[in-house]
């Protein structure tokens, strides 16, 4: 068999592109696994919170931005995702927000905020959220130009 150099180069080029694609898929899957495990993530406590456990009902109240009406309340019992995507539980329009920007979830009788590797970050009471951070009643959550107030509804 007599292979032409161009044919061989195209085959090796195709294999290189295929190899890079597989590396990208593996890297993306590893990032998703790390994000889902999270630092200090307690699956049992989170599941107890989602099942009703001892967590309290909570609300996000729109303070400003995102194309949302100020004062609009979102029930976050069981946890919600926030972002620009239609897949987010609380979806809003903000040029500084990522598709799935952050998530708010219960763990036991407390709620935590996690930035989901967003481009522009998430602020909680003016400070950057770098790890899962506890959210307190009255806390201000800021994503770009959009702000929400967290309210607990304790009996």
């Amino acid at each position: 068999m007599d292979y032409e150099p161009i044919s061989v180069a195209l085959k090796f080029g195709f294999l290189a592109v295929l190899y890079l694609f597989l590396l990208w898929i593996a890297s993306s899957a590893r990032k998703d696994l790390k994000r889902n495990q999270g630092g200090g993530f307690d699956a049992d406590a989170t599941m107890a919170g989602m099942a009703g456990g001892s967590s309290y009902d909570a609300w996000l109240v729109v303070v400003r931005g995102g194309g949302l009406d100020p004062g609009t309340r979102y029930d976050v019992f069981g946890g919600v995702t926030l972002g620009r995507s239609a897949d987010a539980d609380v979806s809003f329009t903000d040029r500084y927000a990522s598709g799935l920007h952050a998530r708010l979830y219960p763990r036991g009788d407390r709620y935590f905020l996690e930035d989901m590797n967003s481009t522009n970050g998430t602020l909680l009471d003016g400070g950057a959220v770098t790890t899962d951070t506890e959210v307190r009643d009255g806390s201000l959550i800021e994503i770009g130009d959009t702000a929400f107030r967290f309210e607990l509804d304790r009996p």
Side-chain angles (χ1 to χ4, degrees):
M1 285 191 190
D2 188 23
Y3 293 105
E4 292 187 30
I6 293 176
S7 175
V8 171
L10 287 174
K11 289 177 184 177
F12 277 112
F14 174 74
L15 288 175
V17 169
L18 182 63
Y19 178 74
L20 290 173
F21 176 73
L22 291 174
L23 280 176
W24 177 72
I25 293 291
S27 173
S28 179
R30 188 169 30 132
K31 286 179 185 175
D32 284 345
L33 286 172
K34 283 183 180 178
R35 183 179 331 142
N36 289 339
Q37 287 176 350
F41 180 74
D42 184 351
D44 292 335
T46 299
M47 292 308 292
M50 288 181 173
S54 59
S55 65
Y56 301 103
D57 200 5
W59 303 89
L60 276 181
V61 180
V62 177
V63 174
R64 69 174 183 277
L68 304 171
D69 294 325
T72 302
R73 294 168 51 99
Y74 294 93
D75 188 354
V76 296
F77 185 74
V80 294
T81 55
L82 300 110
R84 224 176 26 187
S85 170
D87 293 333
D89 299 316
V90 177
S91 180
F92 53 92
T93 55
D94 189 311
R95 63 185 172 162
Y96 299 110
S98 297
L100 291 175
H101 194 99
R103 82 177 173 123
L104 185 63
Y105 64 93
R107 186 185 302 163
D109 62 350
R110 303 180 302 172
Y111 279 84
F112 290 83
L113 180 65
E114 172 189 20
D115 181 87
M116 297 177 72
N117 297 323
S118 67
T119 303
N120 295 308
T122 304
L123 298 178
L124 178 63
D125 293 328
V129 175
T130 56
T131 62
D132 296 5
T133 306
E134 184 174 356
V135 182
R136 304 209 183 268
D137 190 26
S139 288
L140 185 67
I141 298 169
E142 296 175 274
I143 297 174
D145 295 327
T146 307
F148 301 92
R149 185 178 57 254
F150 177 78
E151 295 181 353
L152 278 176
D153 191 15
R154 297 181 189 252

